[in-house]
């Protein structure tokens, strides 16, 4: 939708859908009602990131792209923190109503924002204009499905994007595993109290926020010197995360563990902005939103979603201490995959630019 309609309205519709569905879901008294509500919330919020990355990538195309996308990602981080804090303060269901209000208000603000027009797509990525969604809704849906398949083949035909998808999926698995099990690991394996573990996680969150900004700025500096500079920043970040995470797993509670934990979140957060900027560089005209959506979909559906379960199963078979080495080892695969992406990046970016010209 973001590649074919006014991107402001796509974001606004998603925000309104998520806000209303979340609020209405509080009146449900069944599992089915709650599941439908949460599915619509997820569908609505999913419209924001991929479309926004496309807009920002177009506005800030050039040497500042990653650092500007880092600011947007910082907002995502802060929004999550504010959401949790609001939930703790208001409780359920008031928190859902409270968070619905800014979603609806800001959707109106988004519609009024000046946004550049959508890039003209190639003929092969354009939906058949002869099919009308009003006159022939079934044919239109079938045409959308056929176009979706063609778009996916086009994007997956880009060698660099395939490596980026592989790398970010494994990175998301590692990050998801840490996020799901880190607090219990600190309490069970390090014998920390719940308050001590929460304090360390708060410090680590500050490290993650800093890592987003630093990663974006370093990525832009590297990109000025080397064509694949942003990808190498991701490789460096993942490589630096590995020893920090290993130290955090093995050290007992204390200052050393605190430093290693903060450093782990700091370096693992470097990839956010350079990844989004790279995907925007590789996307053919008319498929910038689809490219962002494809990467986000694969990294969370194939990476984040199973990570908690996999680590939980391994901890049942062995111990949580052993299980925490699984996401740490995954970082090696993530870094190697991203390093492989550097080999074809310059050629694939030039091909995308030629299509835009």
């Amino acid at each position: 939708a973001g590649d074919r309609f006014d991107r402001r309205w796509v974001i606004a519709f998603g925000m309104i859908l998520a806000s209303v569905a979340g609020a209405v879901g509080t009146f449900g008294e069944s599992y089915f009602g709650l599941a439908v509500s949460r599915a619509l919330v997820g569908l609505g919020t999913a419209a924001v990131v991929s479309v926004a990355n496309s807009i920002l990538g177009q506005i800030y195309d050039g040497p500042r792209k990653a650092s500007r996308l880092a600011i947007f990602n910082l907002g995502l981080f802060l929004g999550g923190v504010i959401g949790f804090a609001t939930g703790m303060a208001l409780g359920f269901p008031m928190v859902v109503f409270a968070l619905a209000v800014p979603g609806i208000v800001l959707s109106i603000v988004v519609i009024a924002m000046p946004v550049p027009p959508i890039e003209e797509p190639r003929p092969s990525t354009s939906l058949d204009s002869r099919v009308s969604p009003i006159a022939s809704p079934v044919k239109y849906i079938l045409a959308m499905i056929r176009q979706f398949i063609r778009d996916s083949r086009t994007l997956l035909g880009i060698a660099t994007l395939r490596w980026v998808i592989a790398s970010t999926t494994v990175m998301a698995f590692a990050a998801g595993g840490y996020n799901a099990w880190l607090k219990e690991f600190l309490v069970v394996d390090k014998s920390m109290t719940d308050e001590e573990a929460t304090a360390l996680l708060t410090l680590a969150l500050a490290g993650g926020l800093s890592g987003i900004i630093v990663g974006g700025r370093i990525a832009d500096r590297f990109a000025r010197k080397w064509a694949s500079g942003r990808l190498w920043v991701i490789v460096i970040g993942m490589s630096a995360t590995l020893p920090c995470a290993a130290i955090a797993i093995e050290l007992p509670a204390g200052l050393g563990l605190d430093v290693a934990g903060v450093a782990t979140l700091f370096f693992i957060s470097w990839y956010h902005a350079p990844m989004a900027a790279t995907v925007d560089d590789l996307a053919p005209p008319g498929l910038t939103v689809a490219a962002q959506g494809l990467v986000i979909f694969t990294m969370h559906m194939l990476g984040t979603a199973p990570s908690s379960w996999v680590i939980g199963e391994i901890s049942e078979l062995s111990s949580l201490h052993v299980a925490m080495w699984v996401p740490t080892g995954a970082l090696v695969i993530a870094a190697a995959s991203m390093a492989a992406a550097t080999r074809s990046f310059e050629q694939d970016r030039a091909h995308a630019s030629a299509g835009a010209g």
Side-chain angles (χ1 to χ4, degrees), residues 182-193 196-197 200 245-254 257-258 320-321 324-325:
L182 187 54
K183 185 173 182 179
E184 184 168 349
F185 174 71
L186 294 175
V187 172
V188 174
D189 195 79
K190 306 299 182 183
S191 301
M192 298 175 68
T193 65
E196 291 172 338
L200 177 53
I247 292 171
I249 292 173
E250 295 300 325
L251 281 181
L257 174 60
D258 293 345
L320 188 54
H321 184 94
M324 291 302 284
W325 278 102

Side-chain angles (χ1 to χ4, degrees), residues 169-179 268 303-304 307 311 326-328 330-331:
T169 299
V170 178
M171 279 191 279
F173 174 85
Y178 288 141
N179 290 336
I268 202 173
T304 306
S307 61
I311 294 174
V326 175
T328 305
L331 294 172

Side-chain angles (χ1 to χ4, degrees), residues 58-231:
Q58 187 177 358
I59 293 174
Y60 296 106
D61 190 24
R64 299 188 301 169
K65 185 186 293 188
S67 58
R68 294 304 177 263
L69 284 168
I71 296 173
F72 173 69
N73 278 273
L74 185 66
L76 297 175
F77 246 81
L78 292 176
V81 173
I82 293 171
F84 278 113
T86 306
M88 294 175 65
L90 299 180
F92 183 85
M94 284 304 299
V95 61
V96 185
F97 291 105
L99 295 179
V101 174
I104 295 174
V105 172
L106 289 173
S107 67
I108 299 173
V109 175
V110 169
I111 292 173
M113 295 176 68
V115 171
I118 303 172
E119 295 176 311
E120 286 296 325
R122 297 176 181 174
S124 61
T125 63
S126 300
L127 193 65
D128 190 348
S129 59
R130 295 172 297 177
V131 181
S132 170
I134 298 176
S136 306
V138 175
K139 289 183 178 180
Y140 187 80
I141 293 174
L142 293 175
M144 287 284 287
I145 293 174
R146 288 193 295 269
Q147 188 59 55
F148 168 76
I149 295 173
R150 287 195 294 268
D151 291 349
S152 299
R153 288 175 177 172
T154 299
L155 293 171
L156 292 175
I158 303 172
T160 307
L161 192 60
R162 292 198 301 268
W163 282 114
V164 169
I165 288 174
S167 177
T168 53
T169 299
V170 178
M171 279 191 279
F173 174 85
Y178 288 141
N179 290 336
W181 291 97
L182 187 54
K183 185 173 182 179
E184 184 168 349
F185 174 71
L186 294 175
V187 172
V188 174
D189 195 79
K190 306 299 182 183
S191 301
M192 298 175 68
T193 65
D194 187 77
E195 292 76 15
E196 291 172 338
T198 301
L200 177 53
L201 291 177
T202 302
L203 287 174
L205 177 62
L209 294 172
S210 302
I212 291 175
I213 298 298
V214 172
R217 290 189 174 275
I218 295 178
D220 281 342
R221 290 189 177 184
F222 273 40
R224 296 187 191 105
K225 297 181 178 179
W226 304 283
S228 56
R230 292 186 179 125
L231 293 177

